[in-house]
Amino acid sequence: MLDAGAVGGQAGSSSLIRNYLGFPRGLGGGELAQRAYQQAWLFGTRFRLTQRVVALEPLAAGIAVRSADGVAVTARAVVLALGVEYRRLDAPGLAELEGAGVFYGASMSEAQALAGEPVFVVGGGNSAGQAALHLARYARQVTILVRRSSLAATMSRYLIDAIEGTPNVEVRPGTEVAAATGDGSLEQLELRDANGGTEPVGAAALVILIGARPRTEWLPEEILRDDWGYLLTGAEVLADERSRDRWRLERPPLPLETSVPGVFAAGDVRARAVKRVAGAVGDGAMALTDVHAFLSLEPAVGWPA
Ligand SMILES: Cc1cc2nc3c(=O)[nH]c(=O)nc-3n(C[C@H](O)[C@H](O)[C@H](O)COP(=O)(O)OP(=O)(O)OC[C@H]3O[C@@H](n4cnc5c(N)ncnc54)[C@H](O)[C@@H]3O)c2cc1C
């Protein structure tokens, strides 16, 4: 297991994960990461941390995985669990309250707990619009904060119409979050308008959706991605016309196999992933099942020439 950072990925940066099976009161992301690390170690995983992988290279029968400091390991199969990077909002108090009222990446499991509460969404894209409409089914009031003067340039018309038709969703253009405060969980936001004026507002939750991107730029072009850089797997590979000349095996790709045999994708980096801890863990289990199938199906196949 090679990771550019420490163990834990995004989940490790969450102060409280509320929707992972088996932890009814939630669990700190750091603790989940530590437990997972120990468990994987006991099952025989060896970790190389702070090793950013910069290249995958074909070998006669396998793949070389090269990290930034020049170290290469060779493998018959590789699982890419590269995640995504959420753009962070920088304002005093936000980092301390992450997971305790302040959420990145639409932790929609929180929605029901927000019944009757005021909720704020930051972002002007479709994911922010969808989150606001979902939250509005539970929250008393949902306020979408956007820095631009309107949503028109960044959100699909159908979502703008739906927002306009939902009485408890309000859009505040030209507004940003200046600070967040709360004793253990978010209680108040300070909003700043385009003229620099500030206003304190009560808030039970702040959902920040200002963009996420997969970290896949460095991968070889043979590994097909969608328009946003997410990795195609399984049936999506064959459905993509670019793979017509590329997929050379008789069998179709395994469910989590990318367009390169023996290279698999799991978690948030996969196109249409659910972007949840449980989803990433499930993908991990499935990817490993695929790896076993690959090793029995293709005892000798290498990267297609
Ligand atoms: C603040 C926050 C709170 C969240 N809260 C929840 C929650 O409450 N419930 C929930 O279900 N989900 C939550 N999520 C989402 C959840 O954490 C992710 O869905 C999950 O972590 C995805 O796991 P992953 O393994 O696919 O990717 P990641 O967790 O993103 O891990 C990817 C790993 O790959 C490494 N990496 C990337 N590129 C390279 C490279 N080139 N070389 C080496 N290593 C590399 C990164 O360092 C990282 O450790 C939250 C996310 C955030 C950011």
Side-chain angles (χ1 to χ4, degrees):
M1 220 281 302
L2 295 110
D3 199 304
V7 284
Q10 295 171 65
S13 72
S14 172
S15 59
L16 191 68
I17 292 168
R18 292 282 305 275
N19 57 345
Y20 189 52
L21 188 74
F23 299 91
R25 290 175 200 285
L27 150 96
E31 190 187 347
L32 178 64
Q34 229 10 312
R35 285 170 178 239
Y37 172 71
Q38 286 167 8
Q39 195 172 7
W41 176 271
L42 291 173
F43 272 110
T45 306
R46 290 300 169 259
F47 290 84
R48 291 200 180 173
L49 302 177
T50 65
Q51 300 255 337
R52 176 164 295 279
V53 176
V54 292
L56 290 188
E57 289 156 13
L59 299 173
I63 298 153
V65 180
R66 197 174 297 284
S67 61
D69 59 7
V71 176
V73 291
T74 58
R76 291 288 323 284
V78 175
V79 178
L80 298 170
L82 303 168
V84 296
E85 220 164 43
Y86 282 94
R87 270 189 63 211
R88 301 303 240 224
L89 198 60
D90 188 20
L94 287 182
E96 294 77 2
L97 292 168
E98 240 180 68
V102 173
F103 304 105
Y104 285 88
S107 300
M108 287 302 119
S109 57
E110 317 296 327
Q112 291 183 32
L114 297 169
E117 302 282 356
V119 174
F120 290 78
V121 175
V122 181
N126 283 352
S127 49
Q130 280 160 359
L133 289 170
H134 179 72
L135 290 162
R137 291 163 55 197
Y138 306 97
R140 169 163 58 79
Q141 176 73 34
V142 178
T143 309
I144 304 177
L145 306 172
V146 269
R147 273 210 299 220
R148 291 171 179 245
S149 56
S150 91
L151 294 175
T154 50
M155 197 182 284
S156 297
R157 190 68 237 173
Y158 80 95
L159 280 172
I160 298 177
D161 291 344
I163 286 166
E164 284 169 359
T166 308
N168 64 334
V169 181
E170 178 201 4
V171 180
R172 279 184 68 155
T175 309
E176 56 188 6
V177 174
T181 49
D183 187 9
S185 72
L186 178 67
E187 290 166 13
Q188 187 170 298
L189 293 173
E190 196 174 293
L191 304 184
R192 184 165 45 223
D193 65 28
N195 301 320
T198 57
E199 180 195 347
V201 291
L206 176 71
V207 177
I208 303 168
L209 288 156
I210 53 174
R213 60 176 190 98
R215 300 173 268 202
T216 55
E217 324 73 50
W218 59 274
L219 290 170
E221 60 161 355
E222 293 97 315
I223 298 182
L224 291 179
R225 284 146 257 192
D226 68 12
D227 292 346
W228 298 272
Y230 291 95
L231 304 182
L232 302 185
T233 52
E236 292 166 346
V237 168
L238 292 188
D240 191 296
E241 59 181 27
R242 291 170 296 175
S243 68
R244 267 191 210 129
D245 308 326
R246 300 188 193 212
W247 185 263
R248 307 246 172 98
L249 302 180
E250 286 284 305
R251 65 166 179 86
L254 292 159
L256 294 189
E257 197 167 24
T258 68
S259 49
V260 169
V263 178
F264 300 84
D268 284 12
V269 76
R270 194 170 57 75
R272 275 174 284 285
V274 291
K275 299 205 173 65
R276 297 286 177 278
V277 174
V281 169
D283 268 12
M286 226 166 107
L288 263 290
T289 309
D290 282 5
V291 167
H292 287 294
F294 170 79
L295 293 177
S296 61
L297 284 166
E298 316 287 352
V301 86
W303 193 306

